[in-house]
Amino acid sequence: MRRVAVRSVVLAGLMAFGGVVPAGAAPGEAGPEADVAYHGRVALGHGQLRIWLVPENEGPSAVPNATLRVRLSAGLADRQQLSEGCARVGQREVVCETGPLPLHGRGRHIGLVLELGERTPEVVVRVDTWWDGGATDRNHANDEHVVLALDTGDAYAF
């Protein structure tokens, strides 16, 4: 199962990252409309960043799968133990598939514990959609977040 999940994340990311296919559509084709959103918490403590989030879809169409991206202002440690369906795509980036997002429903809960390369007093965490499963999402106010996490162990909600 993990191999299939990571393969779909990487394939989706290559399509979006390469710029060949705009997120949400195949060439010359507009996908169904959806409104993907992310809600969660970020906490930084002792060089370890914890992220908990839930993807949601406000509709008007269901999304079979999407990929969210987490980008950091600090570098990650070389070795990471990532959650199922997640893959590292750079020195400061991780992507995770959401699983199916039903109309007016939630996807799977995603939890990440990321080890930083060096301890830092703060990290800026950016969460956004890397690939939207073929849907068109016109409202990015609820799926693009920037959170400043201080090295206090406190959780910051988004």
Side-chain angles (χ1 to χ4, degrees):
M1 179 69 170
R2 179 164 170 73
R3 184 175 292 162
V4 172
V6 172
R7 185 173 47 233
S8 68
V9 169
V10 172
L11 177 60
L14 289 176
M15 289 174 27
F17 184 72
V20 177
V21 179
E29 177 184 324
E33 189 166 343
D35 184 12
V36 176
Y38 307 113
H39 303 285
R41 299 182 316 267
V42 174
L44 175 64
H46 308 290
Q48 189 178 71
L49 183 68
R50 294 179 178 273
I51 303 170
W52 305 272
L53 62 88
V54 178
E56 297 180 2
N57 177 18
E58 295 301 319
S61 299
V63 176
N65 197 3
T67 307
L68 67 92
R69 172 175 57 177
V70 176
R71 293 179 289 162
L72 309 176
S73 63
L76 293 166
D78 290 339
R79 293 182 179 238
Q80 299 290 325
Q81 183 74 27
L82 297 174
S83 301
E84 185 172 337
C86 296
R88 185 174 179 170
V89 293
Q91 177 59 28
R92 299 174 180 207
E93 292 183 56
V94 173
V95 294
C96 297
E97 67 178 350
T98 63
L101 297 174
L103 176 62
H104 301 295
R106 294 180 171 182
R108 68 183 186 93
H109 293 227
I110 298 169
L112 293 169
V113 178
L114 302 174
E115 300 292 336
L116 300 180
E118 296 180 12
R119 189 165 176 183
T120 180
E122 64 185 34
V123 173
V124 176
V125 180
R126 297 177 191 280
V127 176
D128 62 7
T129 301
W130 203 39
W131 178 69
D132 56 17
T136 300
D137 188 342
R138 300 181 198 285
N139 177 17
H140 293 290
N142 57 4
D143 69 329
E144 295 178 353
H145 301 283
V146 179
V147 182
L148 175 64
L150 303 178
D151 187 7
T152 61
D154 295 327
Y156 300 90
F158 61 91

